[in-house]
Amino acid sequence: MSSNIRLARESLGFKLREVRLDAGLSGKELAGRAGWQGSKVSKIELGRQTPTEHDIRTWLEITNAQEREPDLVAELRSLESKYMEWRRRIRDGVKMRQEEIHRLESQTRRIRSFQCSVIPGLLQIPPYMRERFRRSVDIWGARDDIEEGIKARLKRQDILYEADVHIVMTEAALRYGTAPREILIEQLDRLSVATSLPRLRLGIIPMRESYGATPLHGFHILEDHTVLVETFAAELTLMQPSEIEIYVKIFDSLAGIARYGREARRVIAQVLADLHAEAQPQG
């Protein structure tokens, strides 16, 4: 068992132990009422055994803590998919990862996405995608199927015409050197056009805007049931209602200070003007 799965089991077991103690029951008493072997409770609480959903419901019924069921069942369901190292996630190539995300998005009617450092995948043009995928291959040693990955990511972009998509990004994401200047200019031209897509709400937060929530990393909210969070080493899949509530609150805070429509295009135009000026020979 990998260390991240073990830690997730221990976390779930610790929460169940708290529920039992709050009810004033010993492990032996809980096991007896549930009709379990005496060692089952301690194994679950120590993270040595994964409970079933039925186990959790029985546990909560005996301890009269049924209000904890949504969070604890969601934590159980996400236990083995909650933390996935990028090396494992994309070891079979970037195409497979894009197809995996596409399957999740195609079952979703509402998507909210935030990016602080790169142009979101749903808005990327092929040359920009190629730059991003090449760096993934270099860093994580993924199989080099970049061109197939580009086709798969382009297929994902159909969702822009099929679902309600709300994307927020920082102005810094437009300015960072995540691609050569000529590609970035082409990418920002595409971004300006995207602000007029009928089912897309695209917001950009200006550089000097005052933040209510610090933009530590990007994330992707699918409906109200799943949040995907990217870190340097791994992708987190969050499914607990309490965790999702936090990310929705943060997204709403970020969206509230973003610029949309004409004002968003004005921010993009200024960044484009600066990029063109930088490209001019100095006299």
Side-chain angles (χ1 to χ4, degrees), residues 2-21:
S2 65
S3 61
N4 49 71
I5 294 175
R6 175 178 55 77
L7 290 172
R9 282 183 178 172
E10 289 176 355
S11 173
L12 179 57
F14 179 79
K15 291 171 184 175
L16 288 169
R17 180 176 181 273
E18 285 186 320
V19 169
R20 175 179 63 76
L21 292 176

Side-chain angles (χ1 to χ4, degrees), residues 36 52 57 103 107 112 114 121 140 151 202 239 245 283:
W36 298 337
T52 65
R57 292 191 179 99
R103 283 192 293 272
Q107 301 168 13
R112 284 163 287 181
F114 171 73
W140 292 294
K151 292 177 183 177
L202 176 58
M239 300 174 69
E245 182 181 357

Side-chain angles (χ1 to χ4, degrees), residues 172-199:
L174 314 184
R175 293 183 177 275
Y176 282 150
T178 49
R181 184 185 292 111
E182 62 275 12
I183 292 177
L184 198 53
I185 288 172
E186 184 182 356
Q187 173 65 71
L188 295 186
D189 283 334
R190 156 65 177 160
L191 204 62
S192 186
V193 173
T195 60
S196 299
L197 291 176
R199 300 200 66 171

Side-chain angles (χ1 to χ4, degrees), residues 175-232:
R175 293 183 177 275
Y176 282 150
T178 49
R181 184 185 292 111
E182 62 275 12
I183 292 177
L184 198 53
I185 288 172
E186 184 182 356
Q187 173 65 71
L188 295 186
D189 283 334
R190 156 65 177 160
L191 204 62
S192 186
V193 173
T195 60
S196 299
L197 291 176
R199 300 200 66 171
L200 170 66
R201 189 169 184 225
L202 176 58
I204 299 175
I205 304 174
M207 289 288 286
R208 302 307 303 168
E209 189 59 60
S210 177
Y211 284 84
T214 304
L216 298 175
H217 55 70
F219 55 90
H220 209 50
I221 307 174
L222 304 179
E223 298 284 4
D224 289 311
H225 56 68
T226 303
V227 177
L228 304 179
V229 181
E230 295 184 5
T231 71
F232 281 117

Side-chain angles (χ1 to χ4, degrees), residues 40-54:
K40 181 171 179 175
V41 170
S42 63
K43 286 180 179 178
I44 289 174
E45 291 183 348
L46 293 172
R48 295 172 183 168
Q49 178 176 335
T50 302
T52 65
E53 289 188 26
H54 180 71

Side-chain angles (χ1 to χ4, degrees), residues 100-129:
E100 182 181 357
I101 300 175
H102 184 221
R103 283 192 293 272
L104 291 173
E105 291 172 337
S106 63
Q107 301 168 13
T108 303
R109 305 326 308 159
R110 185 186 186 196
I111 295 173
R112 284 163 287 181
S113 183
F114 171 73
Q115 279 293 351
C116 54
S117 57
V118 297
I119 307 298
L122 290 177
L123 298 176
Q124 292 176 6
I125 61 173
Y128 191 93
M129 294 179 195

